[in-house]
Amino acid sequence: MTVLVRSRRVVTPEGVLPLGVDVVDGRIAGLVPYTTHEGLDLGDVALLPGLVDTHVHINEPGRTHWEGFATATRAAAAGGVTTVVDMPLNSLPPTTTVPNLEIKKKAAYGQIAVDVGFWGGAIPGNLGDLRPLWDAGVFGVKCFLSPSGVDEFPALDANGLTRALQELARFDGLLIAHAEDPWTLTEPTGPSYSEFLDSRTQEAEVRAIETVIAVARETGARAHIVHVSAGDAIAVLREAQAQGVRITAETCPHYLTLSAEEVTGTAFKCCPPIREAANRDALWAGLADGTLMGIVSDHSPCPADMKGLDSPDFVTAWGGISSLQLGLPAIWTEASARGFSLEDVVRWMARGPADFAGLSSKGRIEVGADADLVAFDPEAGFVVEAGDLAHKNPVTAYQGRSLKGVVQQTWLRGDAPGHGRFLTRGAR
Ligand SMILES: [Zn+2]
């Protein structure tokens, strides 16, 4: 027997069961009765599959002072996340060609504490790079429909979007899109949060999502909407999915757990914005009925001075929220209050994102899967202190918040995190 760990509450695809997890060569070789007297006994502390976060901005190389592979992946491990997929922008160069992907991998090599995969990028002029990026193992390519915030990663216009999806349809690739309509966004009339919120409406998101749906429908290509914030978008997505359009979508902890009414400063700035409390109900309903495939962090940090914390100005502050280490307790706090279970949370934060990315050995506790595991005490609590997090910059919108659920220990392929691997699309 090689039972690594056992718990009375192992969250498996078949339910929450009292089991021991038998690990051989980093894989789950068997699930045995809890009553076996082998392995670390967690008792009532739950055992979850390692979470899969398919939306992380690591920013290295080039903006390594914003975040880096070592700090981000250590924060991930501390937060119960054993797989991250890195976004193509904010690092320099952006991941828009195969040589640039190689530069990024070289920067990451030897530094990653958990497993890391990569998204490519679709920008004006790199149509010919999309297939080579796909063949090099990226999980898909990301595009923006409105300005991304960095000059080296321009948005696609309507024609560029169509051409990208036509190209991706040829090899059944995947486009992931930041969906805010540039013609509906307006310039904020002042520096306050309400003026920022008014400049980026639900309508801007819904229009851009409708554009992506229309082109996905027309081309037959597979598309995905990142970080849905607008509750109004859920019905639009649901209808398109029912009609057979190949469209999926995600949301993030900050849209589900924070509200515009609670914004106390520019640590809360992100695009699309955190909306009014009532908006969250539609997002939770979209998760409950499967319209949204899951919850990912959109961890997008920057140095504290770029957040302008001392003189809050929502026009000039960098947009992005740091939460890689906090997603699980933030979501568990709100999900449990709304009557959802740990199984729901695992479906949204582990299995759903893994299936979306085609990572069939991740995000599930079942025989044959990687032994990526998290000991999670759902009843314990803590108060967020940004300086205690492994994130490179101690800024987070969750500062001072009381959260429920504590990650006690994380395993990557049966071992302590530390030796992550590069993941490529389709590999097991
Ligand atoms: Zn992002």
Side-chain angles (χ1 to χ4, degrees), residues 251-259 262 264-270 274 280 295-299 320-334 349 382-387 389 391 394-403:
T251 189
C252 309
H254 38 279
Y255 301 128
L256 293 161
T257 70
L258 306 176
S259 67
E262 304 170 298
T264 52
T266 42
F268 290 75
K269 180 179 174 182
C270 58
I274 293 165
R280 292 181 298 199
I295 307 167
V296 294
S297 68
D298 192 11
H299 178 71
I321 288 189
S322 290
S323 64
L324 185 51
Q325 195 172 333
L326 297 171
L328 176 56
I331 287 299
W332 175 237
T333 303
E334 183 78 19
M349 303 188 81
F382 70 106
V383 176
V384 176
E385 180 47 63
L389 302 174
H391 304 164
V395 179
T396 175
Y398 296 91
Q399 171 67 27
R401 219 158 246 272
S402 294
L403 297 182

Side-chain angles (χ1 to χ4, degrees), residues 292-369:
L292 297 172
M293 66 64 173
I295 307 167
V296 294
S297 68
D298 192 11
H299 178 71
S300 186
C302 70
D305 59 338
M306 289 181 66
K307 272 291 191 190
L309 300 177
D310 298 334
S311 52
D313 180 338
F314 282 90
V315 178
T316 56
W318 173 256
I321 288 189
S322 290
S323 64
L324 185 51
Q325 195 172 333
L326 297 171
L328 176 56
I331 287 299
W332 175 237
T333 303
E334 183 78 19
S336 57
R338 287 174 179 261
F340 293 108
S341 67
L342 268 183
E343 287 174 270
D344 294 321
V345 170
V346 164
R347 192 171 72 249
W348 298 327
M349 303 188 81
R351 179 70 179 259
D355 286 347
F356 158 66
L359 290 164
S360 58
S361 64
K362 298 293 192 187
R364 65 209 75 199
I365 296 180
E366 66 182 25
V367 173

Side-chain angles (χ1 to χ4, degrees), residues 3-83:
V3 176
L4 176 75
V5 57
R6 59 201 176 102
S7 159
R8 291 196 190 91
R9 296 157 86 182
V10 179
V11 181
T12 77
E14 276 77 49
V16 179
L17 302 167
L19 292 171
V21 180
D22 188 8
V23 176
V24 176
D25 293 337
R27 291 264 168 96
I28 299 173
L31 296 170
V32 300
Y34 171 75
T35 46
T36 178
H37 291 285
E38 298 261 340
L40 176 67
D41 184 4
L42 297 178
D44 287 329
V45 168
L47 188 69
L48 320 182
L51 305 188
V52 176
D53 189 341
T54 53
H55 194 150
V56 181
H57 295 267
I58 296 182
N59 306 333
E60 183 173 5
R63 292 193 178 93
T64 309
H65 54 303
W66 294 18
E67 188 62 282
F69 283 100
T71 44
T73 57
R74 276 205 306 272
V81 178
T82 49
T83 300

